[in-house]
């Protein structure tokens, strides 16, 4: 499918893509650029890629597909570094979790003969680094493509095919819609998990109430999400601050309604809300986004 694919940042997502490329024979050669020499050595030793170096320009040169898989805050530096080394006609994509700002940042800074098509695989775990990646990560998970002004139609089709070969289901939407939807389905749940765990942590510090011992009552499930990569999530909230702030306001309003219903012993209202929310779980399982076994839906 491609002669040379270059992955910038071979962490959880980057290394899973590299493993998927090798497993499905989607490229003749897979190379990677990482900041540290130890990561470059590791990705070679683990046979995740064929070549790796911290010289990003060198790795990018001659590649027909370049995938940025590093934190959003690193994009600016990376683009300034690689813009003069991109092969004419190459496809440039990323895997970032927020789209609007990075699409225009890259559009403004790359040559016109590059097809820049942003991607977002809605797949991940709370782990980081090349050791944690696996080729099946994208299986049956959605990958959203958000083309911009510099996306060639033929290349959109090719990139769509690439993600499908990795096991993804592919949707195409505009960046604004993407950032809004993801603020509800991904960014808000992470923020809530961070806040619940942080609140429990503060209570634990004040008076140890066996919080870890009895965490299976619900807290445990939130700790998985709240164990996600701190730098990545810092970047996501800052990049998507407008949408996230609006959703936080809505959340606070609903939380206040719940508090009122609890205080007023409004049984009818509580039961009505909880019955409505139970239905969505069934829909998620039916849509293949999780399984009903209590193992966090991970296996
Ligand atoms: P990770 O920490 O596992 O990997 C990040 C990689 O980027 C590492 O190899 C790291 O060395 C490299 N890196 C870090 N800072 C860098 C910099 N300044 N310059 C160059 N390289 C740098 O993280 P990940 O989970 O693979 O996330 C990578 C990207 O994927 C993020 O942009 C994130 O928004 C997106 N994403 C993550 C998930 C998820 O659930 N983890 C899901 C979808 C998309």
């Amino acid at each position: 499918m491609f002669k040379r694919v270059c992955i910038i940042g071979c962490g959880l997502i980057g290394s899973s893509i590299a493993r998927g490329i090798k497993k499905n024979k989607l490229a003749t050669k897979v190379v990677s650029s990482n900041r540290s020499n130890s990561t470059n050595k590791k990705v070679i030793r683990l046979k995740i890629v064929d070549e790796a170096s911290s010289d990003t320009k060198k790795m990018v040169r001659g590649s027909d597909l370049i995938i940025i898989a590093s934190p959003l805050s690193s994009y600016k530096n990376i683009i300034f570094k690689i813009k003069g080394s991109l092969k004419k006609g190459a496809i440039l994509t990323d895997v970032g979790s927020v789209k609007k700002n990075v699409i225009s940042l890259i559009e403004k800074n790359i040559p016109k003969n590059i097809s820049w098509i942003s991607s977002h695989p809605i797949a991940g775990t709370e782990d980081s680094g090349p050791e944690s990646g696996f080729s099946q990560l994208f299986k049956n998970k959605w990958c959203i493509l958000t083309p911009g002004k510099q996306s060639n139609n033929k290349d959109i089709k090719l990139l769509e095919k690439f993600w499908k070969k990795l096991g993804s289901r592919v949707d195409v939407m505009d960046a604004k819609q993407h950032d809004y939807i993801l603020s509800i389905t991904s960014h808000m749940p992470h923020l809530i998990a961070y806040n619940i765990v942080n609140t429990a942590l503060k209570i634990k510090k004040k008076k140890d109430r066996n919080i870890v011992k009895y965490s299976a009552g619900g807290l445990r499930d939130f700790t998985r999400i709240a164990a996600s990569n701190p730098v990545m999530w810092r970047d996501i909230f800052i990049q998507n601050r407008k949408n996230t702030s609006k959703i936080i306001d809505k959340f606070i309003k609903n939380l206040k309604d719940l508090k009122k219903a609890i205080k007023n012993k409004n049984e009818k209202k509580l039961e009505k809300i909880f019955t409505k929310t139970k239905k969505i779980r069934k829909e998620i399982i039916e849509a293949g986004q999780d399984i009903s076994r209590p193992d966090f839906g991970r296996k």
Side-chain angles (χ1 to χ4, degrees):
M1 206 170 183
F2 296 101
K3 278 196 182 124
R4 181 183 168 103
V5 178
C6 174
I7 297 169
I8 303 174
C10 215
L12 168 72
I13 302 292
S15 75
S16 297
I17 296 174
R19 286 173 166 104
I21 293 175
K22 287 209 163 272
K23 191 165 180 241
N24 298 290
K25 299 189 172 54
L26 306 181
T28 315
K29 194 168 184 182
V30 188
V31 304
S32 163
S33 183
N34 299 281
R35 279 181 309 174
S36 76
N37 274 335
S38 64
T39 307
N40 288 316
K41 281 185 188 152
K42 196 184 288 170
V43 293
I44 297 281
R45 195 182 67 236
L46 294 173
K47 296 189 169 60
I48 297 170
V49 296
D50 304 304
E51 202 185 329
S53 160
S54 37
D55 185 343
T56 315
K57 287 182 188 170
K58 186 177 153 201
M59 290 299 101
V60 161
R61 232 169 268 140
S63 302
D64 11 54
L65 173 66
I66 301 101
I67 304 168
I68 304 175
S70 55
L72 292 162
S73 56
S74 66
Y75 279 31
K76 204 171 178 181
N77 268 340
I78 291 171
I79 283 302
F80 281 117
K81 218 183 271 177
I82 67 169
K83 62 181 182 181
S85 306
L86 296 163
K87 180 177 149 185
K88 190 178 160 194
I91 300 177
L92 174 67
T93 190
D94 74 324
V95 295
S97 310
V98 187
K99 294 298 170 200
K100 207 163 169 278
N101 296 343
V102 297
I103 288 180
S104 51
L105 166 83
I106 296 183
E107 250 164 24
K108 279 183 205 142
N109 287 291
I110 54 163
K112 294 277 169 279
N113 57 30
I114 303 301
S115 212
W116 156 231
I117 310 157
S118 198
S119 313
H120 181 198
I122 318 285
T125 73
E126 66 280 18
D127 298 324
S128 301
E131 310 85 343
S132 41
F134 53 101
S135 65
Q136 297 291 300
L137 179 65
F138 310 106
K139 199 173 170 217
N140 292 329
K141 300 288 184 299
W142 284 101
C143 178
I144 302 175
L145 301 189
T146 47
K149 290 179 199 139
Q150 232 172 284
S151 309
N152 175 318
N153 275 340
K154 181 171 78 43
D155 294 331
I156 297 173
K157 292 267 176 304
L158 185 61
L159 194 62
E160 198 173 327
K161 197 169 155 196
F162 171 76
W163 281 109
K164 283 184 176 164
K165 294 256 182 198
L166 292 178
S168 298
R169 296 190 268 175
V170 180
D171 248 353
V172 179
M173 66 173 73
D174 73 65
K176 197 175 162 199
Q177 192 189 6
H178 169 278
D179 291 355
Y180 176 67
I181 291 174
L182 269 292
S183 73
I184 302 165
T185 59
S186 171
H187 309 167
M188 191 62 189
H190 276 80
L191 193 73
I192 293 165
Y194 280 127
N195 196 33
I196 288 174
V197 177
N198 190 32
T199 307
L201 208 70
K202 285 187 174 165
I203 295 167
K204 186 176 180 285
K205 263 188 195 161
K206 267 195 183 162
K207 359 178 172 167
D208 187 357
R209 289 178 189 248
N210 290 315
I211 278 166
V212 170
K213 187 172 163 187
Y214 298 120
S215 64
L219 181 70
R220 178 195 66 178
D221 293 17
F222 287 99
T223 62
R224 182 185 72 74
I225 297 179
S228 299
N229 187 326
V231 171
M232 174 182 137
W233 281 98
R234 175 201 70 188
D235 290 358
I236 290 172
F237 290 123
I238 291 175
Q239 288 270 341
N240 206 14
R241 56 192 175 279
K242 274 194 188 156
N243 284 313
T244 317
S245 301
K246 276 188 208 155
I247 305 297
I248 290 173
D249 290 341
K250 286 193 177 138
F251 182 81
I252 291 172
K253 188 195 164 293
N254 288 335
L255 196 61
K256 279 184 178 162
D257 282 352
L258 274 175
K259 186 182 169 189
K260 200 168 141 194
I262 292 167
K263 266 180 109 175
N264 296 339
K265 298 185 195 163
N266 190 340
E267 292 178 355
K268 218 169 145 191
K269 181 157 188 174
L270 289 174
E271 204 179 319
K272 196 176 158 198
I273 295 170
F274 299 160
T275 307
K276 220 163 46 176
T277 58
K278 193 174 161 64
K279 278 189 190 145
I280 193 105
R281 177 72 189 156
K282 207 167 156 247
E283 283 174 34
I284 284 171
I285 291 163
E286 278 166 7
Q289 294 296 300
D290 205 348
I291 54 170
S292 56
R293 278 203 309 276
D295 70 344
F296 302 126
R298 306 278 302 286
K299 298 243 162 48

